[in-house]
């Protein structure tokens, strides 16, 4: 149903249908970012806050939310950073490969992202449907995992599953913003590393995005400055996709991965799939 809470299969309104999020999904996501109800604060230092929602730590699919204040970075700049796959490798040290597969509408596409995990874990990848919405001075980007027949799971990666992941970028005065990142992902065998993940990895990842925002205007001036298909959809050269080509990616349909015992000493996660 519309506005369903994240705890039910969040982005699958009819259970099995792939669909493009509508205004009610974006407003529901925004409410979750801004709400404190049911969220437990796990970390709050140096302008970064991390919350978890409701589940036990042993649960593989956790809902995590983080927030960072970004002074000197306007909301529209951070929005560009999170869209610009050309810039991704400059700031995301875990990325192996990221590219757009095809466009569904002026504000929805399908993309691929893979990231390095520390040995002996296998590296992870995602195929996601991503949609975005400018809301005056604020912006939302949402994604969830889908299956595309030309991009099946690969032998050299574990296919992770995003039930719903997204960003809310809120303008905060002139030239500053607040970034929320909310994720409900099944990393398939990997965990977020308990307290270590919440205290170290998530804050670290948010700070990287903030730093990327500070450096982006200078980088973009030198790299096709007028090209922003997420702002100007007529610039997109992606092939058109139809929803009929896609289906939902369920974790239980993928090969079972058991990496418990491998993750004790060192655990990393990506700087968060945008």
């Amino acid at each position: 149903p519309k506005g369903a809470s994240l705890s039910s299969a969040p982005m699958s309104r009819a259970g099995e249908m792939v669909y493009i999020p509508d205004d009610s999904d974006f407003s529901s996501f925004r409410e979750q970012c801004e709400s404190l109800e049911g969220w437990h604060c796990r970390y709050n230092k140096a302008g970064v806050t991390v919350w978890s929602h409701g589940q036990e730590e042993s649960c593989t699919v956790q809902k995590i939310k983080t927030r960072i204040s970004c002074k000197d970075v306007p909301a529209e700049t951070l929005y560009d950073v999170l869209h610009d796959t050309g810039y991704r490798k400059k700031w995301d040290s875990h990325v192996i490969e990221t590219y757009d597969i095809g466009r569904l509408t002026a504000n929805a596409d399908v993309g691929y992202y893979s990231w390095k995990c520390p040995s002996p874990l296998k590296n992870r990848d995602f195929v996601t449907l991503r949609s975005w919405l400018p809301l005056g001075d604020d912006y939302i980007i949402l994604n969830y995992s889908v299956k595309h027949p030309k991009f099946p799971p690969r032998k050299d990666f574990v296919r992770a599953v995003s039930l719903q992941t997204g960003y809310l970028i809120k303008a905060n005065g002139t030239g500053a913003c607040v970034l929320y990142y909310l994720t409900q992902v099944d990393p398939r065998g990997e965990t977020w590393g308990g307290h270590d993940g919440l205290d170290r990895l998530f804050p670290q990842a948010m700070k990287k995005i903030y730093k990327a925002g500070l450096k982006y205007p200078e980088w973009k001036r030198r790299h096709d400055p007028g090209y922003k298909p997420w702002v100007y959809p007529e610039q997109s050269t992606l092939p058109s996709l139809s929803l009929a080509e896609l289906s939902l990616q369920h974790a239980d349909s993928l090969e079972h991965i058991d990496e418990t015992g491998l993750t004790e000493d060192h655990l990393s996660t990506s700087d968060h799939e945008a």
Side-chain angles (χ1 to χ4, degrees):
K2 289 196 180 191
S5 74
L6 269 184
S7 53
S8 59
M11 299 304 288
S12 51
R13 175 171 297 146
E16 292 305 314
M17 295 291 292
V18 171
Y19 77 100
I20 294 163
D22 64 17
D23 288 351
S24 71
D25 298 297
F26 283 106
S27 66
S28 162
F29 179 80
R30 181 178 193 134
E31 278 165 30
Q32 291 176 72
C33 287
E34 295 177 334
S35 162
L36 292 173
E37 197 180 328
W39 291 95
H40 308 286
C41 181
R42 309 296 294 274
Y43 175 97
N44 188 9
K45 277 184 207 160
V48 183
T49 312
V50 182
W51 297 266
S52 63
H53 194 280
Q55 296 104 329
E56 295 303 312
E57 260 184 47
S58 57
C59 177
T60 56
V61 181
Q62 283 203 307
K63 204 185 338 176
I64 307 291
K65 174 169 74 174
T66 79
R67 181 184 67 200
I68 185 169
S69 297
C70 303
K71 51 178 192 282
D72 305 320
V73 180
E76 62 269 24
T77 300
L78 217 49
Y79 183 62
D80 290 347
V81 166
L82 293 169
H83 273 288
D84 199 327
T85 50
Y87 186 54
R88 187 93 203 195
K89 288 193 172 177
K90 292 282 170 199
W91 63 268
D92 183 349
S93 55
H94 295 291
V95 68
I96 298 170
E97 206 177 0
T98 181
Y99 52 84
D100 300 324
I101 292 169
R103 69 186 288 202
L104 292 157
T105 66
N107 71 323
D109 63 15
V110 174
Y112 176 85
Y113 177 86
S114 57
W115 76 92
K116 298 177 203 122
C117 292
S119 172
L121 298 179
K122 278 181 88 171
N123 294 331
R124 261 61 183 173
D125 70 355
F126 280 118
V127 172
T128 60
L129 186 156
R130 181 176 63 165
S131 56
W132 53 92
L133 186 68
L135 294 160
D137 295 332
D138 302 342
Y139 302 88
I140 295 176
I141 303 173
L142 290 180
N143 78 57
Y144 67 97
S145 284
V146 292
K147 284 196 270 200
H148 186 294
K150 291 185 181 158
F151 298 88
R154 292 162 46 168
K155 287 274 185 285
D156 49 336
F157 288 101
V158 172
R159 180 63 46 98
V161 178
S162 163
L163 298 172
Q164 184 183 35
T165 296
Y167 297 94
L168 166 64
I169 308 159
K170 290 179 67 174
N172 186 22
T174 50
C177 67
V178 175
L179 173 67
Y180 287 87
Y181 170 76
L182 190 156
T183 183
Q184 188 177 15
V185 166
D186 185 344
R188 314 258 348 290
E190 188 184 358
T191 69
W192 294 131
H195 286 296
D196 183 52
L198 297 176
D199 295 353
R200 189 172 63 84
L201 300 173
F202 280 95
Q204 205 177 357
M206 295 296 273
K207 286 173 188 165
K208 275 192 178 176
I209 297 173
Y210 176 23
K211 281 185 188 152
L214 291 168
K215 294 176 179 174
Y216 181 73
E218 180 52 40
W219 181 89
K220 190 62 175 168
R221 269 196 286 279
R222 290 178 283 113
H223 297 84
D224 213 349
Y227 180 70
K228 295 183 180 182
W230 53 93
V231 178
Y232 311 110
E234 66 279 5
Q235 294 180 342
S236 177
T237 55
L238 290 175
S240 284
L241 286 177
S242 87
L243 285 174
E245 296 173 69
L246 306 171
S247 54
L248 280 181
Q249 178 67 74
H250 293 291
D252 55 15
S253 69
L254 293 162
E255 172 197 359
H256 178 66
I257 305 294
D258 184 5
E259 292 175 325
T260 49
L262 296 182
T263 61
E264 305 288 312
D265 303 324
H266 45 226
L267 211 284
S268 182
T269 185
S270 90
D271 294 321
H272 302 320
E273 206 275 335

